[in-house]
Amino acid sequence: MIPSRLREVWTAAWAAPDSQTRDFGREGEIVFARVRLVIITAIVLIPIKSLLIDSRNADNWVGLAVALVAVLLGAGVLALARRPAPPRWLGLFSSLLDVSLVSAVNVGFLLAGHPLTATNSQVVYSIYFLTLSGTCLRLDPRLCLAAGAAALLEYGAVVAWSATHWDLASPAFARDPYGAFSWDSQVGRLLLLVLATGLAWIIVTRAGRHWRDSIYDRLTGLPNRRYLEIRLEQAMAAAHRTRRPLVLALADLDHFKQINDRHGHAAGDAALRHAATALSQTFRRSDFIARYGGEEFVILFPEAEPAAACERLEQLRAAIARQPVVLSGTAVALTMSVGMAVFPADGEAPADLLSRADQRLYAAKQAGRNRVQGP
């Protein structure tokens, strides 16, 4: 029983977020990239001020060098995060980068011959918690665990190196401003990093669950209208930047009211789930499908040629028409009508595309239903 429960916890800990959660996590990546760059730029001023006071202090030069490298890396991460399609490895890289920059400061202190500064500095150690908090914005529990493990290993290595390469109990370190070395204190610091990692993982796991509940339609399992509006705004912004086509299709089950009236609302729900499954199986992973409301669905085709999008919609229409669904013990044939709109010919705002697609959907209904009406 207990091993089974541990396997469930382990599986949940390393579960990859779905595509919608990753999209939202990318926004968090941009937010933290900006925060990182602002903080690092401000930190650069600290060693500069210290060098103006005492240019012979090696610690100040170490701090300035690390801060300048961090500024360059932070600017690069921000540039990558702001791309329309950032690299999949960026979240892991930036999470480990944040932790490693903190550890790099401690390594610099060791190279300068100040082991007690590396092991006892409250300011540098506290920044580990800031970096672990930043992983929460990415909504990926795996990044929390990876960053926490990196912080634990890197700080543990700094402590072990200090204890094995210096006699920290010697009189030479008796009056160090950072205080005496204590194993009890260092074990406590490592334990706090473990607890902070666990807390970050819990926060991300719960936040991700609430986020998914808020954007998915429970009946069909497809994203809901709320999230559609977010994705449509993003797709339109990308289309404006690239000037590539964006196809929006509005699909509607024909005679759906009759299904509810003849077979009951439970049968209507089954018909909607059947249509949602057909939609999910027909289109590419890069296409976006959402339940718009009632028996209506919206499909977005980013950077797709209208002819290719129309062909896939015809495949969907034909697949639904030839696969009857069993409702109340009776095989019922379903059909679907579709209206298409294309950016920029049919409009350059989300409301324009939705309106044009709705007009063509109405035209498809008027023309006899079970057809795709395009430009």
Side-chain angles (χ1 to χ4, degrees), residues 263 324-334:
H263 303 280
V325 59
V326 178
L327 304 175
S328 304
T330 304
V332 177
L334 296 178

Side-chain angles (χ1 to χ4, degrees), residues 25-278:
R26 280 198 286 267
E27 295 180 16
E29 182 70 57
I30 295 174
V31 169
F32 198 72
R34 290 170 176 163
V35 171
R36 178 195 300 112
L37 192 56
V38 170
I39 292 175
I40 294 174
T41 303
I43 289 176
V44 170
L45 300 177
I46 298 175
I48 290 177
K49 179 195 65 127
S50 300
L51 284 170
L52 292 175
I53 298 173
D54 183 7
S55 61
R56 293 175 296 179
N57 190 322
D59 291 355
N60 297 332
W61 286 106
V62 169
L64 179 61
V66 172
L68 291 176
V69 172
V71 167
L72 294 176
L73 291 173
V77 169
L78 178 58
L80 290 174
R82 294 177 65 179
R83 286 184 176 181
R88 294 288 292 271
W89 49 262
L90 183 61
L92 177 61
F93 174 79
S94 62
S95 298
L96 297 180
L97 172 66
D98 293 335
V99 172
S100 298
L101 286 174
V102 181
S103 300
V105 175
N106 285 330
V107 171
F109 290 142
L110 294 180
L111 294 176
H114 301 292
L116 290 179
T117 307
T119 57
N120 288 350
S121 173
Q122 291 288 350
V123 173
V124 176
Y125 172 74
S126 298
I127 300 177
Y128 278 120
F129 297 98
L130 181 63
T131 62
L132 293 177
S133 299
T135 61
C136 296
L137 293 173
R138 300 172 177 100
L139 288 183
D140 189 339
R142 300 172 302 172
L143 299 183
C144 298
L145 297 178
L152 192 66
L153 291 173
E154 291 175 7
Y155 183 74
V158 168
V159 172
W161 185 272
S162 301
T164 55
H165 286 74
W166 280 276
D167 181 8
L168 299 178
S170 68
F173 296 105
R175 295 183 179 180
D176 194 280
Y178 285 92
F181 179 86
S182 168
W183 275 112
D184 288 342
S185 174
Q186 299 307 321
V187 170
R189 285 186 169 208
L190 293 171
L191 180 59
L192 284 175
L193 289 177
V194 173
L195 294 176
T197 301
L199 181 60
W201 178 79
I202 291 172
I203 291 172
V204 169
T205 303
R206 290 183 62 85
R209 187 179 302 122
H210 291 309
W211 162 250
R212 287 189 293 273
D213 289 344
S214 71
I215 68 170
Y216 281 104
D217 172 57
R218 291 193 176 188
L219 176 62
T220 62
L222 296 175
N224 58 24
R225 181 169 179 169
R226 174 189 176 188
Y227 188 59
L228 165 67
E229 292 171 352
I230 297 174
R231 285 297 298 268
L232 182 53
E233 289 283 353
Q234 294 173 344
M236 290 293 289
H240 277 284
R241 285 195 302 269
T242 63
R243 303 309 296 180
R244 294 281 297 159
L246 169 67
V247 178
L248 181 149
L250 187 58
D252 183 90
L253 287 177
D254 297 325
H255 302 298
F256 185 74
K257 185 177 184 302
Q258 294 180 15
I259 294 176
N260 280 331
D261 292 342
R262 293 176 182 176
H263 303 280
H265 289 282
D269 291 346
L272 288 172
R273 286 192 292 268
H274 176 79
T277 300

